[in-house]
Amino acid sequence: MKFTLSWLKDHLDTQASLDDILYALTDLGLEVEDVTDRAAKLAPFTIAKVLHAEQHPDADKLRVCRVLTDEGEKQIVCGAPNARAGITVVLCKPGTYVPGIDTTISVGKIRGVESHGMMASERELELSDEHNGIIELPSGEVGERFSDWLAKNRPDIADPMIHIKITPNRPDALGVRGIARDLAARGLGRLKPLDIPAIKGGFPSPIRVEIDPALKAKGCPLFAGRLIRGVKNGPSPDWLQQRLTAIGLRPISALVDITNFFTFALNRPLHVFDAAKVHGPLRIHPAKGGEELLALDGKTYTLREGMMVISDDNGPESLAGIMGGEVSGCTEATTDVFLESAYWDPITIATTGRALKINSDARYRFERGVDPAFTLPGLDLATQMILDLCGGEASDVTMDGAVPDVSRAYRLNPARVISLVGMDIPETEQRRTLEALGFTLSGDMATPPTWRPDILGEADLVEEVARIASLTKLEGKPLRRTQAGVPLPILTPLQQREKAARRTLAALGYNECVTYSFIDQEAATLFGGGSDAVRVDNPISSEMTHLRPDLLPGLLRAAARNQARGFADLALCEIGPAFHGGEPGEQHLQATGLLVGHTAPRDPYGSRRPVDVFDAKADAEAILAALNAPARVQITRKVAAWWHPGRSGVIGLGPNTLATFGEVHPRILSALGVKGPAVAFTILVANVPQPKVKTPTRPALAISDLQAVERDFAFVVDKGVEALTALNAAQGADKALIESVRLFDQFTGEKAESQMGAGKKSIALTVRLQPTGKTLTEAEIEAVSAKIIEKVTKATGGTLRG
C-alpha cells in the first residue's frame, strides 16, 4: 500500500513529524517498507540570485555569472541559455552531491575561468526530465533552502511517498483513511470527518442491474450503480494526476483516475462503463463456461463455469470484482458513463483471480474484504467527484440486493488485557481506543465496525487495545517456577547423548548435513530396506518413495554432488532417525560420519594420504568415549552388505552392537556415483549402555602413586591372525594389574616371511602394568609376563619371537 504524506493529511489532522508517523505505523503493525522523501535529497540546495551575467571570454555558449548567495557573491560559469541577470535560481555549492548527474560539485576552472558552484536544472535535481535551462523560481529569499520553498509553493514535489506492508487480516488499511484512523487512535492527530453528499437523481437510470438469484446469498449480495450523462472525459486535474503518479499509477483519464483514487483513498474499488456501449441491463451471473472477455489489460480470458461475470445483451462486459472489459471501457469520447459500486464475496473473487492468474488492485481488496456498508456512500462520493471534475447530470441509483448484515458483538473484559498481553491498561483507555477505531460499545459488549472483518472474538478486542497502546511498552518479567528448588533436567538421556555426539563430530572437523528421511527404492534396497512396509503412500517425488534404512545413502549422495562440483576431500556427518519398519516406534537414532578423499590438503611435508579404515575407527571410538561407552569392547567382522567385508568391523558388547566402521563397499560407491576412497562409521546412540551410577559430577580421579611398568612382547603368528585377538588375550592375562595393551609394530611382507617362515608375520605389543598396593618385584613381573605369553600363544597359535 502506497500513499503520500499530504494524502494522509487529507484524512488526518496532525502536526506529527514524518519520523513520528513512520515509527507509529510500524508499531501499529503496518510495517513501513520504504519511504521516498525527495525533500531530504533536496535539503543541501539553496536559493540564490543572479546579479550579473556576461559572455565567457573563451566560449560562445558559456556565461560568467555573478551570483548572490547566503555566503556572499560567487562567480559561477553556466552554460544554460536562460542564464541572465535578475533571475532566482537553485544553487549547488561546492561539496554538494547532485543526484541527477551523480556528481559532487567542486571548485574548478571552466575554459580558464574559475567557477564556485553550479545552478541546477530540474533534471539535475531529479524533479523532471526538463534540462533545456536552469530552474527559474518566481519567488524565494537568498539563502532559503530549496526544499522549504517547495514545501510552501510546490508541496506535490516535496511530498514524501510511504510504502507499507499490509497483512492479509487488515483490509481496512488498504485505504488511506483506514491508516489515518489507526494513527488517530494512537494519538497522532484527529481523524477528519468524511462528509457523504446526498446526490439527488435527475432521471431514472436507463441501465438496470440484475443479480442472479443463485449469487445473492453468496457471490454478490449487493450491486448498485447510476448513469451520469453529459460528462467530459478529458485529462484529470493536476492534483489528481500527481497523487496517482506519486504512488506509481499512470493517469489515464478523469473517469478512470477517479475510480483509482477511491480504490486507494477509501478502499472502495469502483468501475465505470461507457453507457453508449452497454446494451440492455447489466446482469451479474455465473459463467456457463467457454465465454471470452477482452479485459482492460489487453488480454483475452476464457471463463470457466461458475465464475462471476457482468454481462449485457451482447455478452460478458466485466470480470466481477476483478477487471473490466475493453469493449465497454471509457475513452475520451465517452459522454455518458455508468458508475458501478458493488460488494463481492471474497472467496469467489479469490478463486476466479487465481484461476485466471489476474492480479489487480480491485481483486487485491475484494478478496480480503471491503466495507459492505460503504458500497452506497462510496457510490455517492464518486458521483460527486465526477460531477465536479467532468460535469454532467446524475440519475437515480439503480440497485439489486441489499447490504449484507455483518454485525456481531463480543464481550469486552478489561481484565483479559492483563492475562493475555501482560499490560495494565485502564478500562477507560480501552474503551476510548475501541471507539476511536470505530467500534460501538454498549455496556460491556463491543460491536466491530463493518470495515473490520478480522475481528472475530474477545481476544481480537484485546489485541486491538494492546496494538494501539503499543506492545513496545510491554515489560519482560520472569515466569514463576512451577516448583521450588533446582529445576529438573529438560533433555532426556537420549537427547543429551545426541547433543554430545553432535558436538564431538563438529570438534572432529565434520560438516553436518540434514538430508531427507525419504529416499528412492533403489538406494533403500542397497542398505537393507526398500520393502513395502516403509514405502510412502503419497511421496512428494519419485526419488522419495521409501523411508531411509540408514543415514549413509543421504551422505553418499551429498558427497557425490560435492565431488561433481570440485570438492574431492569431504568430512560429512548427520544425526537423525533411520527406520527399520513402518510402524510407530520402529526407528532408531544414528550418528553417522563419512570421510571421502584425503586427510589433508597437498603440502610439502607429506601429510596428505588417502583416508582409511583406521580414520573411521578412531573417530567412532572418540564419539563412543564422549557418550561414556565402556572402554573395553569387542570388535567383530560381522558387518552388513554395504560395508567392505575385509576392511570394516563392528564394535559391540557381546550381542549389543554399538557402532560399525570401515570402508564403504565399492559396489555401493559405484551405484551412488561416489569416487573413492570412502570410509564411514555409524553409531547406534541408543545402544550405548547408560552408566550404572548417574551423577552430574565426574567420579573421583583414581591414580596410583606406585611406579608403572611397561613390557614389550613380539609374537610370530600366521598372516591371517588379527592383532585384536592378541590384544584381547593379553588384556585378559591379569585384569586387575594390566592397565592397557597397545599394538606398536607389525612386521609383514616378503622380508618378514624370509626370516620367520612362509605365511608368517610379527606383531609387537606394549603391556602397561599398574600396581595399586605395592611396588612390583621382578618375580611378580616375570609371572605376569609368563601369563601374557601363555594367553597370547594359546589364542593366536603363535610363538614368542626370539
Side-chain angles (χ1 to χ4, degrees):
M1 173 65 188
K2 297 180 180 180
F3 59 95
T4 61
L5 183 60
S6 63
W7 202 343
L8 177 68
K9 290 184 176 181
D10 284 349
H11 300 272
L12 182 67
D13 185 3
T14 181
Q15 299 298 321
S17 67
L18 177 62
D19 288 341
D20 290 341
I21 291 174
L22 297 178
Y23 177 82
L25 286 172
T26 299
D27 193 38
L28 288 166
L30 308 176
E31 183 181 353
V32 177
E33 287 275 286
D34 185 31
V35 179
T36 303
D37 188 3
R38 284 194 281 185
K41 293 182 180 180
L42 300 175
F45 306 105
T46 59
I47 294 177
K49 190 169 186 177
V50 179
L51 300 178
H52 177 74
E54 62 183 24
Q55 189 67 37
H56 191 286
D58 196 27
D60 294 337
K61 296 184 178 180
L62 297 179
R63 298 181 69 80
V64 180
C65 303
R66 195 156 39 87
V67 181
L68 179 62
T69 73
D70 57 339
E71 298 176 355
E73 292 187 13
K74 301 288 183 180
Q75 179 175 276
I76 298 177
V77 178
C78 180
N82 62 330
R84 64 189 186 278
I87 62 174
T88 303
V89 297
V90 179
L91 175 66
C92 309
K93 297 180 181 179
T96 302
Y97 174 75
V98 182
I101 56 176
D102 191 24
T103 300
T104 299
I105 299 300
S106 60
V107 177
K109 288 187 176 182
I110 302 176
R111 291 288 186 95
V113 177
E114 199 169 63
S115 180
H116 295 262
M118 185 184 82
M119 295 179 286
S121 67
E122 291 191 4
R123 187 173 74 172
E124 288 163 341
L125 299 186
E126 294 185 338
L127 300 179
S128 71
D129 292 331
E130 176 61 41
H131 64 285
N132 291 328
I134 57 177
I135 298 173
E136 294 186 38
L137 299 179
S139 61
E141 298 295 327
V142 172
E144 181 183 3
R145 292 200 309 175
F146 182 49
S147 57
D148 294 339
W149 185 91
L150 285 174
K152 291 185 292 185
N153 297 275
R154 295 284 304 278
D156 54 295
I157 294 180
D159 202 9
M161 190 280 292
I162 304 169
H163 181 196
I164 62 175
K165 182 187 294 184
I166 304 297
T167 53
N169 66 319
R170 290 297 309 278
D172 61 299
L174 290 172
V176 179
R177 187 166 183 81
I179 299 168
R181 183 181 294 109
D182 267 19
L183 292 171
R186 169 58 68 86
L188 263 70
R190 180 183 62 87
L191 183 67
K192 296 180 179 180
L194 182 64
D195 296 326
I196 308 297
I199 306 296
K200 186 176 181 180
F203 57 95
S205 173
I207 298 177
R208 295 181 295 105
V209 296
E210 301 172 0
I211 303 175
D212 189 286
L215 294 179
K216 282 188 177 181
K218 185 178 181 180
C220 180
L222 174 62
F223 188 94
R226 60 158 38 106
L227 183 80
I228 306 172
R229 64 188 181 191
V231 300
K232 183 179 180 181
N233 186 27
S236 55
D238 289 344
W239 69 266
L240 181 53
Q241 291 192 37
Q242 291 164 1
R243 191 148 286 183
L244 297 179
T245 303
I247 62 172
L249 295 182
R250 178 176 60 90
I252 298 175
S253 65
L255 292 174
V256 177
D257 292 351
I258 289 170
T259 61
N260 286 334
F261 174 82
F262 275 84
T263 298
F264 284 86
L266 300 173
N267 192 28
R268 177 65 256 176
L270 305 165
H271 184 61
V272 285
F273 297 86
D274 189 328
K277 301 175 183 177
V278 176
H279 303 280
L282 289 175
R283 296 180 299 107
I284 300 87
H285 63 96
K288 296 179 180 179
E291 300 98 324
E292 291 187 346
L293 173 69
L294 176 61
L296 288 172
D297 61 359
K299 299 179 181 178
T300 300
Y301 297 95
T302 301
L303 307 183
R304 301 180 187 177
E305 183 180 358
M307 292 181 173
M308 275 196 305
V309 63
I310 303 174
S311 302
D312 64 1
D313 292 343
N314 290 339
E317 294 291 351
S318 175
L319 272 174
I322 298 177
M323 187 173 289
E326 182 73 31
V327 174
S328 59
C330 293
T331 65
E332 292 185 357
T334 298
T335 57
D336 298 336
V337 61
F338 184 79
L339 175 64
E340 166 243 311
S341 179
Y343 178 75
W344 309 100
D345 174 60
I347 302 300
T348 306
I349 296 299
T351 302
T352 302
R354 291 174 186 174
L356 298 179
K357 298 180 180 179
I358 301 178
N359 292 311
S360 66
D361 292 323
R363 174 201 160 183
Y364 188 79
R365 284 159 173 78
F366 278 125
E367 70 182 4
R368 284 160 174 78
V370 301
D371 181 6
F374 193 65
T375 305
L376 296 177
L379 177 65
D380 287 338
L381 282 168
T383 301
Q384 187 62 60
M385 183 174 285
I386 291 175
L387 296 176
D388 292 341
L389 301 184
C390 304
E393 181 184 7
S395 73
D396 296 331
V397 173
T398 178
M399 60 179 288
D400 193 7
V403 177
D405 183 12
V406 294
S407 61
R408 59 209 183 277
Y410 305 104
R411 181 171 175 267
L412 173 62
N413 183 1
R416 291 281 283 168
V417 176
I418 300 176
S419 62
L420 286 182
V421 184
M423 298 176 65
D424 189 5
I425 302 174
E427 181 179 354
T428 55
E429 181 65 18
Q430 294 184 36
R431 299 178 72 90
R432 186 206 66 79
T433 295
L434 293 177
E435 289 174 345
L437 290 173
F439 289 74
T440 302
L441 298 180
S442 177
D444 62 351
M445 300 300 293
T447 301
T450 54
W451 58 79
R452 291 300 299 272
D454 58 306
I455 305 299
L456 299 173
E458 293 182 17
D460 292 328
L461 301 180
V462 175
E463 180 186 0
E464 289 302 295
V465 171
R467 185 175 64 87
I468 299 301
S470 179
L471 291 175
T472 59
K473 299 178 182 177
L474 185 63
E475 296 181 3
K477 297 180 180 179
L479 292 174
R480 292 182 179 179
R481 289 183 177 178
T482 56
Q483 59 187 21
V486 179
L488 296 175
I490 297 175
L491 299 180
T492 65
L494 185 61
Q495 289 173 328
Q496 290 175 340
R497 288 189 164 185
E498 180 182 348
K499 180 181 178 181
R502 179 173 282 108
R503 291 177 64 88
T504 305
L505 282 165
L508 291 171
Y510 286 82
N511 295 304
E512 184 175 4
C513 301
V514 180
T515 62
Y516 284 106
S517 296
F518 309 119
I519 60 176
D520 60 279
Q521 185 176 12
E522 180 182 356
T525 304
L526 292 175
F527 289 84
S531 65
D532 289 341
V534 291
R535 184 174 59 84
V536 181
D537 287 338
N538 188 24
I540 59 178
S541 78
S542 60
E543 297 178 350
M544 297 183 181
T545 57
H546 287 70
L547 293 172
R548 62 187 180 189
D550 199 277
L551 300 186
L552 268 177
L555 291 179
L556 289 169
R557 285 260 166 82
R561 287 192 295 270
N562 278 274
Q563 285 183 333
R565 289 159 178 79
F567 298 96
D569 302 332
L570 301 166
L572 306 177
C573 71
E574 182 172 8
I575 299 178
F579 302 87
H580 52 271
E583 297 299 323
E586 293 185 340
Q587 64 184 57
H588 54 279
L589 184 66
Q590 291 186 356
T592 300
L594 175 66
L595 295 171
V596 181
H598 293 76
T599 59
R602 299 173 64 182
D603 58 32
Y605 312 110
S607 58
R608 178 178 173 86
R609 61 172 179 80
V611 295
D612 58 31
V613 62
F614 299 105
D615 294 316
K617 180 174 181 288
D619 290 345
E621 290 175 338
I623 296 172
L624 289 173
L627 300 181
N628 295 319
R632 296 181 180 180
V633 294
Q634 295 84 43
I635 298 180
T636 63
R637 292 187 179 275
K638 296 180 181 180
V639 295
W642 55 89
W643 298 98
H644 193 298
R647 300 174 184 172
S648 57
V650 174
I651 303 175
L653 290 170
N656 183 25
T657 299
L658 303 183
T660 305
F661 67 90
E663 286 190 18
V664 182
H665 200 290
R667 171 176 54 87
I668 303 297
L669 297 181
S670 176
L672 297 181
V674 178
K675 299 175 183 178
V679 298
F681 60 84
T682 296
I683 311 291
L684 302 179
V685 180
N687 287 8
V688 178
Q690 295 286 345
K692 294 181 180 180
V693 179
K694 297 181 179 180
T695 173
T697 60
R698 293 182 179 181
L701 177 64
I703 192 170
S704 176
D705 59 351
L706 302 177
Q707 179 67 41
V709 178
E710 289 191 357
R711 286 290 185 265
D712 296 342
F713 302 87
F715 297 93
V716 178
V717 297
D718 292 337
K719 284 198 304 182
V721 174
E722 298 174 353
L724 181 62
T725 304
L727 290 170
N728 290 337
Q731 188 76 53
D734 191 328
K735 295 182 179 180
L737 195 57
I738 297 175
E739 184 182 73
S740 64
V741 181
R742 293 183 294 106
L743 175 71
F744 72 88
D745 185 46
Q746 184 172 248
F747 184 32
T748 60
E750 294 180 0
K751 188 175 181 180
E753 293 185 18
S754 66
Q755 295 181 14
M756 295 174 288
K760 299 292 184 178
K761 67 177 181 180
S762 172
I763 55 176
L765 311 177
T766 292
V767 180
R768 182 180 177 87
L769 308 177
Q770 179 60 65
T772 56
K774 64 174 185 175
T775 304
L776 294 174
T777 64
E778 188 65 28
E780 291 171 332
I781 296 173
E782 290 298 330
V784 175
S785 299
K787 287 183 182 181
I788 293 172
I789 295 170
E790 179 186 358
K791 287 280 189 181
V792 174
T793 55
K794 184 177 179 180
T796 62
T799 59
L800 187 67
R801 184 178 177 187

